[in-house]
Amino acid sequence: AGAPTRFVLDARCVRQCIAAADFSTERVVRAIATIGITVVELGADWRSESALLWRLFCVIELFATVKAGGRLLLGGAAFEDPKQVQELLQVATSKERSAEVMDSRDEEKTRCRFPDEAKEIRAYIEGTVGYVKLDRQVLSAIAGGCMDRVLGQMEAGGRRDEAAGMMHGLAAM
């Protein structure tokens, strides 16, 4: 209370273009960590090829927030449908199916607007945390946000065993 609220629009503040002389993945990660909160707009269908988790720059933004201990605020049309949220949660917490949601190593699925940008971001991932750990950390945070949305609904619907299974999957990540 009393502190000013600041909003950062990455399209203006974080220049997502390798042509910018000051672009650096490390610099972007530090800037996002400083902000501390990232809004995750998953859109109407988290499976579509244009979905946020298939865009490498967005993935690095999410990772930077998680790495800094920040908050991911989940939103979008997909979160208006409890069934989609439950399915996303099930897939994200499954070792066998998690690549359906996000697989940052897959260059065909997870792309960038500019090839040079993709090269720099991939070099950062490979030189720091690695793809598997990055995906697990981001998916764990996404799943945590999904749990916030569906756990009450599942318990009210008498589906405690299913909810417990999802929590186990989340813990296993």
Side-chain angles (χ1 to χ4, degrees), residues 16-35:
Q16 188 178 339
C17 175
I18 200 69
D22 61 352
F23 179 87
S24 148
T25 304
E26 182 63 41
R27 189 172 181 180
V28 169
V29 168
R30 283 193 316 268
I32 292 167
T34 301
I35 296 164

Side-chain angles (χ1 to χ4, degrees), residues 30-41:
R30 283 193 316 268
I32 292 167
T34 301
I35 296 164
I37 297 174
T38 299
V39 176
V40 181
E41 168 60 60

Side-chain angles (χ1 to χ4, degrees), residues 16-135:
Q16 188 178 339
C17 175
I18 200 69
D22 61 352
F23 179 87
S24 148
T25 304
E26 182 63 41
R27 189 172 181 180
V28 169
V29 168
R30 283 193 316 268
I32 292 167
T34 301
I35 296 164
I37 297 174
T38 299
V39 176
V40 181
E41 168 60 60
L42 289 178
D45 184 1
W46 51 266
R47 290 177 216 82
S48 77
E49 68 179 49
S50 64
L52 174 125
L53 295 172
W54 296 117
R55 298 192 326 244
L56 193 58
F57 190 87
C58 295
V59 168
I60 206 70
E61 288 178 306
L62 300 177
F63 171 72
T65 304
V66 171
K67 178 182 171 191
R71 273 185 74 195
L72 297 181
L73 302 176
L74 304 179
F79 284 102
E80 301 303 317
D81 179 1
K83 289 180 182 180
Q84 274 204 59
V85 176
Q86 290 175 20
E87 184 181 1
L88 173 58
L89 180 57
Q90 289 171 338
V91 173
T93 58
S94 165
K95 285 185 179 181
E96 296 80 27
R97 295 187 62 200
S98 63
E100 292 176 34
V101 180
M102 180 180 155
D103 184 0
S104 61
R105 183 188 317 250
D106 187 332
E107 293 183 25
E108 292 296 315
K109 287 183 179 177
T110 310
R111 299 180 303 266
C112 276
R113 190 175 299 159
F114 304 104
D116 289 344
E117 176 185 294
K119 185 177 177 181
E120 176 163 336
I121 292 172
R122 289 189 185 287
Y124 172 84
I125 294 169
E126 292 165 5
T128 57
V129 68
Y131 294 106
V132 172
K133 189 172 182 180
L134 179 139
D135 287 1

